[in-house]
C-alpha cells in the first residue's frame, strides 16, 4: 500500500511517501514564498525519483492546521483534488501533533506564533497523544498553565527557551494510521481561530447590534 503525507501548514513543504507504513522517501524544505507553485513541482520530483505515479496512492494523510491560512489551503486543495480523482478519503492531522514528534525528555508543548501575543499550542506525551486540546491562546496564559514541559517551536519567543522541531514522519503516520478518514467534500481546515475577514465580519455584526 502506498500512502502520501502532505504538510504545508507552516513555511515548509513536507511530503512523504510510505510503502506499507514504512517511510520510502520524503521532502522537508523551507519555503518562504511561492508555495503553491513549488508544491506541485516538489511532489512530482518526489514521485519521479521513486518511480511512482500519483495514481498508485492508496491513502492520504493531510495536515489541516493550525498554521498559515494560505499554506494550509495549498496542501488541502492538492489533497482534495487527488482524493476526488482516486476516490479516496483523507486522514486529517494536526500540525501541533506533527511538531510533537520531536524527541524530548519531557512532556511536549508545540507552539506556533499566532501574532498579537497569541499562539497555537497544545501539550502532548511521548506517544504524541494529546493531553490537552489544541488551542488558540494567549502565550502568557499558556506558559502559566504549562510549566514542566519542553516548548517546541520554529518561532522565537522572548524569555522562553524552545527546542527546534525535528519531524519524525514514521511516528506521525503510525500514530494516525487507524484514525477515522474523512470524505474530501466535508474536510475543513483546522484554523483554531477565525480568519481576518471572518473576525471583521463578526465585529461588524456586534457593532450593528
Amino acid at each position: 500500500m502506498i500512502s502520501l503525507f502532505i504538510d504545508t501548514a507552516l513555511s515548509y513543504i513536507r511530503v512523504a511517501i510510505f510503502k506499507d507504513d514504512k517511510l520510502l522517501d520524503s521532502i522537508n524544505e523551507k519555503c518562504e514564498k511561492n508555495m503553491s507553485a513549488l508544491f506541485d513541482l516538489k511532489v512530482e520530483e518526489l514521485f519521479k525519483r521513486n518511480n511512482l505515479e500519483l495514481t498508485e496512492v492508496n491513502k492520504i494523510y493531510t495536515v489541516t492546521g493550525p498554521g498559515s491560512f494560505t499554506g494550509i489551503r495549498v496542501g488541502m486543495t492538492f489533497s482534495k483534488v487527488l482524493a476526488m480523482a482516486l476516490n479516496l478519503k483523507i486522514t486529517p492531522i494536526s500540525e501541533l501533533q506533527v511538531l510533537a514528534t520531536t524527541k524530548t525528555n519531557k512532556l511536549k508543548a508545540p507552539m506556533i506564533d499566532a501574532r498579537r501575543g497569541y499562539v497555537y499550542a497544545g501539550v502532548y506525551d511521548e506517544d504524541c497523544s494529546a493531553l490537552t486540546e489544541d488551542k488558540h491562546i494567549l502565550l502568557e496564559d499558556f506558559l502559566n498553565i504549562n510549566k514542566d514541559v519542553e516548548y517546541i517551536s520554529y518561532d522565537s519567543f522572548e524569555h522562553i527557551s524552545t527546542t527546534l522541531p525535528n519531524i519524525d514522519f514514521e511516528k506521525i503516520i503510525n500514530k494516525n494510521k487507524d484514525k477515522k478518514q474523512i470524505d474530501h467534500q466535508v474536510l475543513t481546515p483546522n484554523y483554531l481561530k477565525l480568519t481576518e475577514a471572518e473576525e471583521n465580519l463578526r465585529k461588524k455584526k456586534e457593532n450593528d447590534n
Side-chain angles (χ1 to χ4, degrees):
M1 182 176 75
I2 301 297
S3 300
L4 176 64
F5 170 81
I6 292 171
D7 178 9
T8 56
L10 302 180
S11 298
Y12 288 81
I13 292 177
R14 294 195 184 103
V15 186
I17 300 174
F18 295 80
K19 185 173 182 178
D20 300 328
D21 298 327
K22 296 296 182 182
L23 182 63
L24 188 63
D25 200 356
S26 65
I27 290 174
N28 186 4
E29 297 183 7
K30 192 168 181 60
C31 180
E32 297 287 3
K33 56 184 179 179
N34 297 326
M35 180 177 284
S36 58
L38 287 174
F39 180 77
D40 288 350
L41 293 176
K42 292 298 180 181
V43 172
E44 181 181 356
E45 171 189 314
L46 184 63
F47 273 77
K48 184 175 291 186
R49 76 184 183 211
N50 287 281
N51 297 312
L52 289 171
E53 300 289 339
L54 278 170
T55 53
E56 297 179 70
V57 172
N58 307 111
K59 194 170 185 179
I60 303 170
Y61 297 87
T62 301
V63 172
T64 57
S68 160
F69 290 178
T70 301
I72 291 168
R73 286 196 291 270
V74 171
M76 285 194 62
T77 298
F78 182 93
S79 299
K80 286 188 170 194
V81 171
L82 183 62
M84 180 173 61
L86 301 181
N87 194 28
L88 298 174
K89 293 187 177 181
I90 299 171
T91 303
I93 296 178
S94 164
E95 178 64 28
L96 293 173
Q97 188 182 49
V98 173
L99 299 181
T101 62
T102 302
K103 291 183 179 179
T104 70
N105 294 320
K106 297 181 178 180
L107 293 180
K108 308 171 187 186
M111 300 191 303
I112 302 168
D113 188 359
R115 300 179 182 177
R116 300 177 183 175
Y118 282 82
V119 290
Y120 304 114
V123 179
Y124 290 78
D125 65 15
E126 178 57 33
D127 190 42
C128 291
S129 296
L131 303 181
T132 66
E133 290 185 6
D134 292 350
K135 297 178 180 178
H136 177 247
I137 185 173
L138 277 169
L139 174 59
E140 183 178 354
D141 290 345
F142 184 70
L143 297 179
N144 287 336
I145 296 170
N146 303 283
K147 296 182 181 297
D148 191 23
V149 297
E150 187 159 348
Y151 301 108
I152 300 169
S153 185
Y154 288 111
D155 303 308
S156 298
F157 303 95
E158 192 173 1
H159 307 309
I160 305 171
S161 177
T162 59
T163 297
L164 278 174
N166 185 12
I167 308 305
D168 186 332
F169 289 115
E170 281 197 5
K171 189 166 189 174
I172 196 67
I173 292 304
N174 287 325
K175 181 65 179 176
N176 289 279
K177 64 182 179 180
D178 296 322
K179 185 177 180 180
K180 182 180 178 181
Q181 296 173 290
I182 298 177
D183 191 281
H184 67 89
Q185 293 179 321
V186 297
L187 184 70
T188 57
N190 180 26
Y191 292 138
L192 290 187
K193 60 168 285 190
L194 297 176
T195 64
E196 186 174 351
E198 290 171 330
E199 183 66 27
N200 290 337
L201 181 60
R202 181 186 66 80
K203 289 179 180 179
K204 182 177 185 303
K205 288 181 177 178
E206 289 177 352
N207 292 335
D208 289 344
N209 293 333

